[in-house]
Amino acid sequence: MKKILEVLRYGSGDIVFKTDVDPLKNPDEVNNVLIQAMMSMATKLWGGNEQAVLAMIRVLAIADLALSVNRKEMIQWLDRESGKLYRAFQDANEAFQKDGGKIMTFGPGVMPPKTRS
């Protein structure tokens, strides 16, 4: 098991970040984590805490952008790259559905049914 990102807050203000991933040593690992995180968020992020988890991910992204040297360039890059992944994911979903697959979506905090009818 690898620690992708651990964020701990000690006391009232000290936040510590830890990871086992070293993008300088293994740049492909970053792309692997990206795809795995996306698939997990689309399929396995259950347990009733989706809203809290996604809120904390977004808080970290906002903090990163707030400290960015060129915030507008970073936002454009994030928009461009996430747009490419969005289109690829939509294409994969369409292909899956054309092959007879069914896609069910659930809102945050809504658990999927335990049994199928």
mmCIF file of all heavy atoms in Angstrom, residues 4 16-18 20-21 28-29 32 34 36 47 55 63 69-70 73 77 86 88 95-96 98 102 110:
data_model
loop_
_atom_site.group_PDB
_atom_site.id
_atom_site.type_symbol
_atom_site.label_atom_id
_atom_site.label_comp_id
_atom_site.label_asym_id
_atom_site.label_seq_id
_atom_site.Cartn_x
_atom_site.Cartn_y
_atom_site.Cartn_z
ATOM 1 N N ILE A 4 -0.867 7.953 -0.924
ATOM 2 C CA ILE A 4 -0.945 8.941 -1.990
ATOM 3 C C ILE A 4 -0.815 10.329 -1.394
ATOM 4 O O ILE A 4 0.004 11.126 -1.816
ATOM 5 C CB ILE A 4 -2.260 8.802 -2.781
ATOM 6 C CG1 ILE A 4 -2.279 7.467 -3.499
ATOM 7 C CG2 ILE A 4 -2.426 9.948 -3.752
ATOM 8 C CD1 ILE A 4 -3.610 7.119 -4.091
ATOM 9 N N VAL A 16 0.274 19.133 8.198
ATOM 10 C CA VAL A 16 1.423 18.391 7.685
ATOM 11 C C VAL A 16 0.954 17.503 6.539
ATOM 12 O O VAL A 16 -0.079 16.840 6.630
ATOM 13 C CB VAL A 16 2.058 17.530 8.802
ATOM 14 C CG1 VAL A 16 3.201 16.690 8.261
ATOM 15 C CG2 VAL A 16 2.529 18.409 9.949
ATOM 16 N N PHE A 17 1.722 17.502 5.448
ATOM 17 C CA PHE A 17 1.422 16.691 4.272
ATOM 18 C C PHE A 17 2.467 15.590 4.160
ATOM 19 O O PHE A 17 3.665 15.854 4.296
ATOM 20 C CB PHE A 17 1.476 17.541 3.006
ATOM 21 C CG PHE A 17 0.522 18.702 3.020
ATOM 22 C CD1 PHE A 17 0.897 19.925 3.547
ATOM 23 C CD2 PHE A 17 -0.751 18.574 2.492
ATOM 24 C CE1 PHE A 17 0.024 21.003 3.556
ATOM 25 C CE2 PHE A 17 -1.632 19.648 2.497
ATOM 26 C CZ PHE A 17 -1.249 20.865 3.029
ATOM 27 N N LYS A 18 2.017 14.369 3.873
ATOM 28 C CA LYS A 18 2.937 13.243 3.680
ATOM 29 C C LYS A 18 2.493 12.448 2.457
ATOM 30 O O LYS A 18 1.296 12.325 2.190
ATOM 31 C CB LYS A 18 2.939 12.326 4.905
ATOM 32 C CG LYS A 18 3.424 12.989 6.175
ATOM 33 C CD LYS A 18 3.330 12.035 7.344
ATOM 34 C CE LYS A 18 3.731 12.744 8.630
ATOM 35 N NZ LYS A 18 3.595 11.867 9.784
ATOM 36 N N ASP A 20 3.992 8.921 -0.197
ATOM 37 C CA ASP A 20 5.001 7.943 -0.598
ATOM 38 C C ASP A 20 5.340 8.078 -2.079
ATOM 39 O O ASP A 20 6.192 7.362 -2.585
ATOM 40 C CB ASP A 20 4.504 6.518 -0.333
ATOM 41 C CG ASP A 20 4.340 6.219 1.142
ATOM 42 O OD1 ASP A 20 4.991 6.899 1.966
ATOM 43 O OD2 ASP A 20 3.565 5.306 1.478
ATOM 44 N N VAL A 21 4.651 8.965 -2.781
ATOM 45 C CA VAL A 21 4.829 9.134 -4.224
ATOM 46 C C VAL A 21 5.901 10.189 -4.470
ATOM 47 O O VAL A 21 5.855 11.274 -3.905
ATOM 48 C CB VAL A 21 3.509 9.552 -4.903
ATOM 49 C CG1 VAL A 21 3.708 9.760 -6.390
ATOM 50 C CG2 VAL A 21 2.424 8.523 -4.637
ATOM 51 N N ASP A 28 5.484 8.601 -14.137
ATOM 52 C CA ASP A 28 4.314 7.832 -14.569
ATOM 53 C C ASP A 28 3.363 7.557 -13.409
ATOM 54 O O ASP A 28 2.161 7.383 -13.618
ATOM 55 C CB ASP A 28 4.733 6.506 -15.202
ATOM 56 C CG ASP A 28 5.419 6.699 -16.544
ATOM 57 O OD1 ASP A 28 5.191 7.759 -17.181
ATOM 58 O OD2 ASP A 28 6.183 5.813 -16.944
ATOM 59 N N GLU A 29 3.897 7.514 -12.195
ATOM 60 C CA GLU A 29 3.060 7.254 -11.024
ATOM 61 C C GLU A 29 2.006 8.346 -10.844
ATOM 62 O O GLU A 29 0.890 8.075 -10.431
ATOM 63 C CB GLU A 29 3.928 7.138 -9.769
ATOM 64 C CG GLU A 29 3.167 6.775 -8.517
ATOM 65 C CD GLU A 29 2.650 5.343 -8.519
ATOM 66 O OE1 GLU A 29 3.057 4.535 -9.376
ATOM 67 O OE2 GLU A 29 1.817 5.054 -7.654
ATOM 68 N N ASN A 32 -0.778 7.545 -13.138
ATOM 69 C CA ASN A 32 -1.495 6.377 -12.619
ATOM 70 C C ASN A 32 -2.427 6.780 -11.480
ATOM 71 O O ASN A 32 -3.572 6.347 -11.432
ATOM 72 C CB ASN A 32 -0.510 5.310 -12.126
ATOM 73 C CG ASN A 32 0.277 4.688 -13.252
ATOM 74 O OD1 ASN A 32 -0.130 4.728 -14.408
ATOM 75 N ND2 ASN A 32 1.423 4.128 -12.929
ATOM 76 N N LEU A 34 -3.686 9.721 -10.955
ATOM 77 C CA LEU A 34 -4.750 10.546 -11.523
ATOM 78 C C LEU A 34 -5.890 9.680 -12.051
ATOM 79 O O LEU A 34 -7.066 9.891 -11.716
ATOM 80 C CB LEU A 34 -4.196 11.432 -12.640
ATOM 81 C CG LEU A 34 -5.208 12.220 -13.459
ATOM 82 C CD1 LEU A 34 -5.967 13.193 -12.582
ATOM 83 C CD2 LEU A 34 -4.526 12.937 -14.591
ATOM 84 N N GLN A 36 -6.501 6.460 -11.411
ATOM 85 C CA GLN A 36 -7.093 5.665 -10.328
ATOM 86 C C GLN A 36 -8.004 6.524 -9.449
ATOM 87 O O GLN A 36 -9.082 6.079 -9.035
ATOM 88 C CB GLN A 36 -6.000 5.010 -9.491
ATOM 89 C CG GLN A 36 -5.255 3.930 -10.243
ATOM 90 C CD GLN A 36 -3.969 3.504 -9.538
ATOM 91 O OE1 GLN A 36 -3.501 4.148 -8.603
ATOM 92 N NE2 GLN A 36 -3.394 2.408 -10.001
ATOM 93 N N GLY A 47 -19.679 5.520 1.284
ATOM 94 C CA GLY A 47 -19.494 5.468 2.719
ATOM 95 C C GLY A 47 -20.189 6.631 3.405
ATOM 96 O O GLY A 47 -20.150 6.749 4.619
ATOM 97 N N ALA A 55 -15.032 18.128 -0.430
ATOM 98 C CA ALA A 55 -14.834 19.497 0.078
ATOM 99 C C ALA A 55 -13.372 19.713 0.469
ATOM 100 O O ALA A 55 -12.789 20.761 0.159
ATOM 101 C CB ALA A 55 -15.748 19.753 1.274
ATOM 102 N N ALA A 63 -6.285 26.344 -1.988
ATOM 103 C CA ALA A 63 -5.087 26.826 -1.285
ATOM 104 C C ALA A 63 -3.884 26.816 -2.224
ATOM 105 O O ALA A 63 -3.093 27.771 -2.239
ATOM 106 C CB ALA A 63 -4.812 25.957 -0.053
ATOM 107 N N VAL A 69 2.201 31.036 -8.488
ATOM 108 C CA VAL A 69 2.906 32.192 -9.036
ATOM 109 C C VAL A 69 2.081 32.823 -10.156
ATOM 110 O O VAL A 69 1.999 34.044 -10.264
ATOM 111 C CB VAL A 69 4.305 31.778 -9.549
ATOM 112 C CG1 VAL A 69 4.973 32.919 -10.278
ATOM 113 C CG2 VAL A 69 5.161 31.294 -8.389
ATOM 114 N N ASN A 70 1.488 31.992 -11.006
ATOM 115 C CA ASN A 70 0.651 32.500 -12.081
ATOM 116 C C ASN A 70 -0.680 31.747 -12.039
ATOM 117 O O ASN A 70 -0.885 30.756 -12.729
ATOM 118 C CB ASN A 70 1.328 32.330 -13.440
ATOM 119 C CG ASN A 70 0.620 33.122 -14.511
ATOM 120 O OD1 ASN A 70 -0.595 33.348 -14.439
ATOM 121 N ND2 ASN A 70 1.357 33.532 -15.518
ATOM 122 N N GLU A 73 -2.713 31.114 -15.365
ATOM 123 C CA GLU A 73 -2.123 30.048 -16.199
ATOM 124 C C GLU A 73 -2.431 28.683 -15.612
ATOM 125 O O GLU A 73 -2.728 27.740 -16.347
ATOM 126 C CB GLU A 73 -0.599 30.224 -16.296
ATOM 127 C CG GLU A 73 -0.150 30.948 -17.521
ATOM 128 C CD GLU A 73 1.366 30.990 -17.616
ATOM 129 O OE1 GLU A 73 2.060 30.043 -17.191
ATOM 130 O OE2 GLU A 73 1.865 32.001 -18.135
ATOM 131 N N TRP A 77 -4.501 25.702 -17.368
ATOM 132 C CA TRP A 77 -3.912 24.369 -17.527
ATOM 133 C C TRP A 77 -4.828 23.303 -16.917
ATOM 134 O O TRP A 77 -5.092 22.274 -17.541
ATOM 135 C CB TRP A 77 -2.522 24.330 -16.888
ATOM 136 C CG TRP A 77 -1.873 22.988 -16.993
ATOM 137 C CD1 TRP A 77 -1.246 22.460 -18.084
ATOM 138 C CD2 TRP A 77 -1.812 21.987 -15.971
ATOM 139 N NE1 TRP A 77 -0.792 21.189 -17.801
ATOM 140 C CE2 TRP A 77 -1.136 20.888 -16.508
ATOM 141 C CE3 TRP A 77 -2.258 21.928 -14.670
ATOM 142 C CZ2 TRP A 77 -0.891 19.735 -15.783
ATOM 143 C CZ3 TRP A 77 -2.020 20.777 -13.944
ATOM 144 C CH2 TRP A 77 -1.345 19.697 -14.502
ATOM 145 N N TYR A 86 -12.252 14.597 -19.064
ATOM 146 C CA TYR A 86 -13.709 14.560 -19.085
ATOM 147 C C TYR A 86 -14.204 13.959 -20.400
ATOM 148 O O TYR A 86 -15.069 13.073 -20.407
ATOM 149 C CB TYR A 86 -14.280 15.972 -18.889
ATOM 150 C CG TYR A 86 -15.769 16.041 -19.090
ATOM 151 C CD1 TYR A 86 -16.639 15.653 -18.076
ATOM 152 C CD2 TYR A 86 -16.303 16.475 -20.298
ATOM 153 C CE1 TYR A 86 -18.016 15.707 -18.264
ATOM 154 C CE2 TYR A 86 -17.675 16.525 -20.492
ATOM 155 C CZ TYR A 86 -18.530 16.130 -19.471
ATOM 156 O OH TYR A 86 -19.882 16.171 -19.672
ATOM 157 N N ALA A 88 -12.560 12.039 -22.529
ATOM 158 C CA ALA A 88 -12.185 10.626 -22.614
ATOM 159 C C ALA A 88 -13.117 9.762 -21.764
ATOM 160 O O ALA A 88 -13.538 8.680 -22.188
ATOM 161 C CB ALA A 88 -10.737 10.445 -22.170
ATOM 162 N N ALA A 95 -19.209 4.295 -25.059
ATOM 163 C CA ALA A 95 -18.839 3.001 -25.633
ATOM 164 C C ALA A 95 -19.356 1.860 -24.752
ATOM 165 O O ALA A 95 -19.867 0.858 -25.257
ATOM 166 C CB ALA A 95 -17.321 2.909 -25.795
ATOM 167 N N PHE A 96 -19.234 2.023 -23.446
ATOM 168 C CA PHE A 96 -19.718 1.024 -22.500
ATOM 169 C C PHE A 96 -21.219 0.826 -22.658
ATOM 170 O O PHE A 96 -21.709 -0.306 -22.696
ATOM 171 C CB PHE A 96 -19.363 1.471 -21.077
ATOM 172 C CG PHE A 96 -19.853 0.564 -19.992
ATOM 173 C CD1 PHE A 96 -19.304 -0.702 -19.819
ATOM 174 C CD2 PHE A 96 -20.849 0.981 -19.126
ATOM 175 C CE1 PHE A 96 -19.756 -1.540 -18.802
ATOM 176 C CE2 PHE A 96 -21.310 0.152 -18.109
ATOM 177 C CZ PHE A 96 -20.762 -1.113 -17.948
ATOM 178 N N LYS A 98 -23.053 1.549 -25.327
ATOM 179 C CA LYS A 98 -23.335 0.963 -26.646
ATOM 180 C C LYS A 98 -23.140 -0.546 -26.627
ATOM 181 O O LYS A 98 -23.795 -1.275 -27.361
ATOM 182 C CB LYS A 98 -22.448 1.591 -27.718
ATOM 183 C CG LYS A 98 -22.913 2.953 -28.143
ATOM 184 C CD LYS A 98 -22.012 3.536 -29.217
ATOM 185 C CE LYS A 98 -22.443 4.948 -29.569
ATOM 186 N NZ LYS A 98 -21.545 5.582 -30.530
ATOM 187 N N LYS A 102 -24.777 -0.670 -18.323
ATOM 188 C CA LYS A 102 -25.682 0.303 -17.704
ATOM 189 C C LYS A 102 -24.897 1.112 -16.679
ATOM 190 O O LYS A 102 -24.119 0.563 -15.912
ATOM 191 C CB LYS A 102 -26.857 -0.391 -17.038
ATOM 192 C CG LYS A 102 -27.776 -1.046 -18.038
ATOM 193 C CD LYS A 102 -29.003 -1.598 -17.375
ATOM 194 C CE LYS A 102 -29.869 -2.248 -18.439
ATOM 195 N NZ LYS A 102 -31.112 -2.741 -17.903
ATOM 196 N N VAL A 110 -25.554 9.381 -1.071
ATOM 197 C CA VAL A 110 -26.558 8.369 -1.385
ATOM 198 C C VAL A 110 -25.845 7.054 -1.623
ATOM 199 O O VAL A 110 -24.995 6.953 -2.495
ATOM 200 C CB VAL A 110 -27.384 8.759 -2.638
ATOM 201 C CG1 VAL A 110 -28.376 7.659 -2.981
ATOM 202 C CG2 VAL A 110 -28.078 10.084 -2.428
#
